[in-house]
Tab-separated table of all heavy atoms in Angstrom:
chain	number	residue	atom	x	y	z
N	224	ALA	N	-1.620	-11.743	-11.773
N	224	ALA	CA	-2.041	-11.049	-12.991
N	224	ALA	C	-1.870	-11.912	-14.237
N	224	ALA	O	-2.327	-11.516	-15.318
N	224	ALA	CB	-1.240	-9.759	-13.153
N	225	GLY	N	-1.214	-13.062	-14.100
N	225	GLY	CA	-1.108	-13.973	-15.231
N	225	GLY	C	0.294	-14.371	-15.622
N	225	GLY	O	0.471	-15.179	-16.545
N	226	ALA	N	1.314	-13.840	-14.954
N	226	ALA	CA	2.692	-14.184	-15.294
N	226	ALA	C	3.024	-15.600	-14.821
N	226	ALA	O	2.486	-16.079	-13.815
N	226	ALA	CB	3.658	-13.185	-14.670
N	227	THR	N	3.910	-16.263	-15.549
N	227	THR	CA	4.349	-17.600	-15.147
N	227	THR	C	5.772	-17.597	-14.604
N	227	THR	O	6.151	-18.466	-13.818
N	227	THR	CB	4.268	-18.573	-16.333
N	227	THR	OG1	5.031	-18.045	-17.429
N	227	THR	CG2	2.818	-18.760	-16.775
N	228	ASP	N	6.572	-16.642	-15.029
N	228	ASP	CA	7.969	-16.560	-14.587
N	228	ASP	C	8.284	-15.093	-14.313
N	228	ASP	O	8.386	-14.293	-15.242
N	228	ASP	CB	8.897	-17.120	-15.670
N	228	ASP	CG	10.367	-17.096	-15.249
N	228	ASP	OD1	10.636	-16.939	-14.037
N	228	ASP	OD2	11.234	-17.218	-16.135
N	229	VAL	N	8.421	-14.740	-13.033
N	229	VAL	CA	8.670	-13.348	-12.664
N	229	VAL	C	10.086	-13.221	-12.112
N	229	VAL	O	10.444	-13.893	-11.145
N	229	VAL	CB	7.655	-12.846	-11.611
N	229	VAL	CG1	7.949	-11.393	-11.250
N	229	VAL	CG2	6.235	-12.993	-12.123
N	230	ARG	N	10.860	-12.348	-12.753
N	230	ARG	CA	12.214	-12.053	-12.271
N	230	ARG	C	12.338	-10.536	-12.179
N	230	ARG	O	12.204	-9.836	-13.175
N	230	ARG	CB	13.267	-12.616	-13.221
N	230	ARG	CG	13.173	-14.130	-13.374
N	230	ARG	CD	14.238	-14.682	-14.279
N	230	ARG	NE	14.017	-16.085	-14.580
N	230	ARG	CZ	14.824	-16.839	-15.341
N	230	ARG	NH1	15.930	-16.285	-15.859
N	230	ARG	NH2	14.536	-18.103	-15.570
N	231	LEU	N	12.589	-10.073	-10.972
N	231	LEU	CA	12.580	-8.641	-10.690
N	231	LEU	C	13.873	-8.212	-10.025
N	231	LEU	O	14.279	-8.788	-9.016
N	231	LEU	CB	11.397	-8.290	-9.775
N	231	LEU	CG	11.396	-6.892	-9.149
N	231	LEU	CD1	11.178	-5.822	-10.217
N	231	LEU	CD2	10.311	-6.797	-8.066
N	232	SER	N	14.503	-7.181	-10.566
N	232	SER	CA	15.620	-6.510	-9.907
N	232	SER	C	15.100	-5.159	-9.420
N	232	SER	O	14.781	-4.284	-10.220
N	232	SER	CB	16.789	-6.305	-10.880
N	232	SER	OG	17.834	-5.590	-10.251
N	233	PHE	N	15.008	-5.014	-8.106
N	233	PHE	CA	14.368	-3.847	-7.489
N	233	PHE	C	15.374	-3.119	-6.601
N	233	PHE	O	15.947	-3.716	-5.690
N	233	PHE	CB	13.142	-4.322	-6.695
N	233	PHE	CG	12.638	-3.362	-5.641
N	233	PHE	CD1	12.595	-1.992	-5.865
N	233	PHE	CD2	12.188	-3.841	-4.419
N	233	PHE	CE1	12.121	-1.115	-4.886
N	233	PHE	CE2	11.705	-2.983	-3.442
N	233	PHE	CZ	11.690	-1.612	-3.672
N	234	THR	N	15.584	-1.828	-6.881
N	234	THR	CA	16.487	-1.009	-6.076
N	234	THR	C	15.757	0.218	-5.565
N	234	THR	O	15.390	1.093	-6.349
N	234	THR	CB	17.710	-0.562	-6.892
N	234	THR	OG1	18.371	-1.706	-7.442
N	234	THR	CG2	18.677	0.217	-6.012
N	235	PRO	N	15.514	0.298	-4.245
N	235	PRO	CA	14.923	1.511	-3.673
N	235	PRO	C	16.004	2.526	-3.339
N	235	PRO	O	17.119	2.169	-2.936
N	235	PRO	CB	14.240	0.991	-2.404
N	235	PRO	CG	15.051	-0.201	-2.009
N	235	PRO	CD	15.651	-0.780	-3.262
N	236	VAL	N	15.673	3.792	-3.517
N	236	VAL	CA	16.611	4.882	-3.248
N	236	VAL	C	15.944	5.876	-2.304
N	236	VAL	O	14.868	6.408	-2.603
N	236	VAL	CB	17.040	5.594	-4.542
N	236	VAL	CG1	17.996	6.747	-4.230
N	236	VAL	CG2	17.689	4.611	-5.508
N	237	LEU	N	16.556	6.096	-1.164
N	237	LEU	CA	16.033	7.038	-0.181
N	237	LEU	C	16.358	8.463	-0.630
N	237	LEU	O	17.513	8.794	-0.916
N	237	LEU	CB	16.659	6.761	1.180
N	237	LEU	CG	16.090	7.511	2.387
N	237	LEU	CD1	14.683	7.055	2.674
N	237	LEU	CD2	16.980	7.288	3.603
N	238	VAL	N	15.324	9.309	-0.707
N	238	VAL	CA	15.508	10.689	-1.168
N	238	VAL	C	14.881	11.647	-0.153
N	238	VAL	O	14.019	11.249	0.640
N	238	VAL	CB	14.886	10.905	-2.563
N	238	VAL	CG1	15.564	10.017	-3.593
N	238	VAL	CG2	13.385	10.656	-2.537
N	239	PRO	N	15.302	12.913	-0.157
N	239	PRO	CA	14.837	13.858	0.865
N	239	PRO	C	13.457	14.453	0.601
N	239	PRO	O	13.291	15.645	0.362
N	239	PRO	CB	15.928	14.932	0.847
N	239	PRO	CG	16.458	14.899	-0.537
N	239	PRO	CD	16.405	13.455	-0.963
N	240	MET	N	12.431	13.613	0.627
N	240	MET	CA	11.039	14.065	0.661
N	240	MET	C	10.360	13.255	1.754
N	240	MET	O	10.572	12.048	1.856
N	240	MET	CB	10.344	13.871	-0.691
N	240	MET	CG	10.350	12.465	-1.236
N	240	MET	SD	9.614	12.375	-2.894
N	240	MET	CE	9.720	10.598	-3.205
N	241	SER	N	9.575	13.876	2.586
N	241	SER	CA	9.067	13.179	3.765
N	241	SER	C	8.152	12.016	3.397
N	241	SER	O	8.148	10.995	4.066
N	241	SER	CB	8.329	14.156	4.689
N	241	SER	OG	7.223	14.731	4.026
N	242	ARG	N	7.386	12.168	2.314
N	242	ARG	CA	6.491	11.086	1.906
N	242	ARG	C	6.380	11.066	0.398
N	242	ARG	O	6.550	12.078	-0.271
N	242	ARG	CB	5.110	11.233	2.549
N	242	ARG	CG	4.482	12.594	2.387
N	242	ARG	CD	3.400	12.846	3.430
N	242	ARG	NE	2.169	12.099	3.187
N	242	ARG	CZ	1.147	12.045	4.072
N	242	ARG	NH1	1.238	12.663	5.239
N	242	ARG	NH2	0.065	11.379	3.798
N	243	GLY	N	6.107	9.884	-0.139
N	243	GLY	CA	5.951	9.742	-1.570
N	243	GLY	C	6.867	8.693	-2.169
N	243	GLY	O	7.907	8.351	-1.597
N	244	ILE	N	6.439	8.159	-3.328
N	244	ILE	CA	7.229	7.184	-4.085
N	244	ILE	C	7.119	7.521	-5.568
N	244	ILE	O	6.015	7.769	-6.075
N	244	ILE	CB	6.726	5.739	-3.874
N	244	ILE	CG1	6.863	5.311	-2.412
N	244	ILE	CG2	7.469	4.761	-4.789
N	244	ILE	CD1	6.235	3.957	-2.114
N	245	LEU	N	8.249	7.520	-6.254
N	245	LEU	CA	8.265	7.581	-7.712
N	245	LEU	C	8.953	6.313	-8.190
N	245	LEU	O	10.140	6.113	-7.944
N	245	LEU	CB	9.020	8.814	-8.213
N	245	LEU	CG	8.984	9.003	-9.737
N	245	LEU	CD1	7.597	9.447	-10.183
N	245	LEU	CD2	10.033	10.013	-10.186
N	246	ALA	N	8.180	5.449	-8.839
N	246	ALA	CA	8.684	4.145	-9.269
N	246	ALA	C	8.864	4.125	-10.779
N	246	ALA	O	7.930	4.421	-11.525
N	246	ALA	CB	7.718	3.039	-8.849
N	247	THR	N	10.067	3.762	-11.224
N	247	THR	CA	10.339	3.563	-12.645
N	247	THR	C	10.567	2.074	-12.856
N	247	THR	O	11.570	1.517	-12.393
N	247	THR	CB	11.573	4.355	-13.097
N	247	THR	OG1	11.360	5.743	-12.844
N	247	THR	CG2	11.824	4.160	-14.581
N	248	THR	N	9.621	1.440	-13.530
N	248	THR	CA	9.663	-0.004	-13.745
N	248	THR	C	9.717	-0.268	-15.236
N	248	THR	O	8.893	0.254	-15.995
N	248	THR	CB	8.427	-0.694	-13.154
N	248	THR	OG1	8.274	-0.303	-11.781
N	248	THR	CG2	8.552	-2.210	-13.228
N	249	THR	N	10.686	-1.063	-15.676
N	249	THR	CA	10.792	-1.383	-17.099
N	249	THR	C	10.679	-2.879	-17.314
N	249	THR	O	11.069	-3.683	-16.460
N	249	THR	CB	12.118	-0.875	-17.703
N	249	THR	OG1	13.192	-1.728	-17.297
N	249	THR	CG2	12.406	0.550	-17.276
N	250	ALA	N	10.127	-3.221	-18.481
N	250	ALA	CA	9.926	-4.623	-18.834
N	250	ALA	C	10.197	-4.818	-20.314
N	250	ALA	O	10.019	-3.894	-21.119
N	250	ALA	CB	8.490	-5.058	-18.507
N	251	ARG	N	10.616	-6.014	-20.675
N	251	ARG	CA	10.918	-6.325	-22.068
N	251	ARG	C	9.634	-6.407	-22.890
N	251	ARG	O	8.687	-7.098	-22.518
N	251	ARG	CB	11.694	-7.636	-22.144
N	251	ARG	CG	12.129	-8.054	-23.539
N	251	ARG	CD	13.139	-9.191	-23.471
N	251	ARG	NE	12.654	-10.282	-22.659
N	251	ARG	CZ	11.848	-11.263	-23.117
N	251	ARG	NH1	11.440	-11.248	-24.370
N	251	ARG	NH2	11.469	-12.235	-22.316
N	252	LEU	N	9.620	-5.675	-23.993
N	252	LEU	CA	8.485	-5.686	-24.906
N	252	LEU	C	8.469	-7.010	-25.666
N	252	LEU	O	9.505	-7.459	-26.179
N	252	LEU	CB	8.618	-4.515	-25.891
N	252	LEU	CG	7.460	-4.200	-26.820
N	252	LEU	CD1	6.246	-3.727	-26.021
N	252	LEU	CD2	7.879	-3.141	-27.833
N	253	LEU	N	7.307	-7.651	-25.739
N	253	LEU	CA	7.221	-8.920	-26.434
N	253	LEU	C	7.189	-8.713	-27.949
N	253	LEU	O	6.729	-7.676	-28.435
N	253	LEU	CB	5.976	-9.682	-25.973
N	253	LEU	CG	6.073	-10.253	-24.549
N	253	LEU	CD1	4.767	-10.880	-24.119
N	253	LEU	CD2	7.208	-11.283	-24.458
N	254	PRO	N	7.676	-9.695	-28.724
N	254	PRO	CA	7.747	-9.551	-30.189
N	254	PRO	C	6.373	-9.285	-30.800
N	254	PRO	O	5.363	-9.878	-30.384
N	254	PRO	CB	8.301	-10.912	-30.640
N	254	PRO	CG	9.043	-11.429	-29.454
N	254	PRO	CD	8.283	-10.959	-28.257
N	255	GLY	N	6.352	-8.392	-31.760
N	255	GLY	CA	5.122	-8.115	-32.488
N	255	GLY	C	4.181	-7.144	-31.810
N	255	GLY	O	3.110	-6.832	-32.350
N	256	VAL	N	4.555	-6.657	-30.634
N	256	VAL	CA	3.702	-5.721	-29.889
N	256	VAL	C	4.079	-4.292	-30.247
N	256	VAL	O	5.259	-3.924	-30.205
N	256	VAL	CB	3.831	-5.944	-28.369
N	256	VAL	CG1	3.029	-4.901	-27.608
N	256	VAL	CG2	3.375	-7.344	-28.001
N	257	SER	N	3.088	-3.485	-30.594
N	257	SER	CA	3.335	-2.098	-30.976
N	257	SER	C	3.115	-1.160	-29.796
N	257	SER	O	2.525	-1.534	-28.774
N	257	SER	CB	2.392	-1.694	-32.114
N	257	SER	OG	1.047	-1.647	-31.641
Side-chain angles (χ1 to χ4, degrees):
T227 56
D228 182 16
V229 180
R230 300 182 189 181
L231 168 68
S232 177
F233 161 40
T234 304
V236 179
L237 189 67
V238 298
M240 57 184 182
S241 61
R242 51 201 287 171
I244 297 173
L245 185 72
T247 301
T248 307
T249 76
R251 183 168 52 85
L252 188 66
L253 288 175
V256 176
S257 68

